[in-house]
Amino acid sequence: MWKKISAVLFVFIIILSLSTNGYAVSMKNAKPKVDISKYQVNVPKEDSSSSNKKTVLVSGNAPKDTSIVIDLYGAVDLTGENYTLAKLPKDDEYVLISSQTIKSGPAGFGEEIELIMGINKVIVTFNVDGVPAVEKIIYYYEAEQLDEAVNKLNKLPAAK
C-alpha cells in the first residue's frame, strides 16, 4: 500500500515540478499601435464635391507637429471626354499640380489650395506609419461655363 501511495506521490511531484515554457516577443523592436482616429480630414467633408471657387480649404485633425503632405492632382480634358464627378479620369490621367508639406498645430491643420479648371484630386498624406492617405475629388467650374452649357441645352431643337 505504501508503495502505491509513494508511486502516486512521486508521479504527482514530477508533474508539478515540470515547468511550462513561455514564449514572448521582445518589446524592444515592437512598434506601438497608432490611433488613426486622431488623423482626419474634416474639410472638404464629402469624398467628391463641386465648387465654383478657385481656392478650397483643406483642414483636419492631427497631433501637434505631425508632418502632413497635401498633393493636388489635376486632369485636363484633352480627349474631349468631358470629365464629371460621375465620369472620373483614370489614375494615370492625373498630373501633379502642387505639393505642400505643412506641420499640424495644437488645433490641427489647415491650408488653402488653388484648384485648376475641371477635376482636382487632393491627397492628404500623414507622415505616420499605419495611417492611410485621404483622397478627395473636387470638380471646379466657373459660373459662366455653367450658364453657357444651359444656354446650349435651351437652343437644341425640340424632339418631334
Side-chain angles (χ1 to χ4, degrees), residues 148-160:
E148 288 177 19
V150 170
N151 288 337
K152 285 181 184 178
L153 289 175
N154 289 336
K155 292 180 182 178
L156 291 176
K160 294 182 182 180

Side-chain angles (χ1 to χ4, degrees), residues 75-158:
V76 179
D77 188 14
L78 297 176
T79 62
E81 294 182 17
N82 295 325
Y83 299 134
T84 64
L85 290 176
K87 186 179 179 185
L88 293 173
K90 297 174 187 165
D91 284 338
D92 62 346
E93 294 174 346
Y94 287 99
V95 176
L96 179 64
I97 305 298
S98 69
S99 182
Q100 300 174 16
T101 302
I102 60 173
K103 290 236 183 235
S104 63
F109 68 93
E111 188 71 26
E112 243 183 34
I113 58 171
E114 189 172 327
L115 304 173
I116 66 165
M117 186 72 71
I119 300 292
N120 296 269
K121 182 192 293 189
V122 179
I123 299 178
V124 179
T125 306
F126 302 95
N127 288 331
V128 177
D129 288 340
V131 178
V134 177
E135 181 179 303
K136 304 287 184 172
I137 302 290
I138 303 168
Y139 177 69
Y140 169 62
Y141 64 91
E142 289 182 347
E144 297 167 359
Q145 184 184 26
L146 189 60
D147 288 340
E148 288 177 19
V150 170
N151 288 337
K152 285 181 184 178
L153 289 175
N154 289 336
K155 292 180 182 178
L156 291 176

Side-chain angles (χ1 to χ4, degrees), residues 32-96:
K33 292 204 176 207
V34 177
D35 183 8
I36 62 173
S37 67
K38 293 181 180 180
Y39 302 88
Q40 298 175 351
V41 175
N42 299 332
V43 175
K45 288 185 178 187
E46 298 84 18
D47 287 340
S48 61
S49 60
S50 62
S51 174
N52 62 352
K53 296 180 182 170
K54 182 77 173 156
T55 60
V56 66
L57 175 68
V58 176
S59 68
N61 300 332
K64 186 178 179 190
D65 294 329
T66 301
S67 178
I68 300 162
V69 178
I70 301 174
D71 291 326
L72 173 67
Y73 293 88
V76 179
D77 188 14
L78 297 176
T79 62
E81 294 182 17
N82 295 325
Y83 299 134
T84 64
L85 290 176
K87 186 179 179 185
L88 293 173
K90 297 174 187 165
D91 284 338
D92 62 346
E93 294 174 346
Y94 287 99
V95 176
L96 179 64

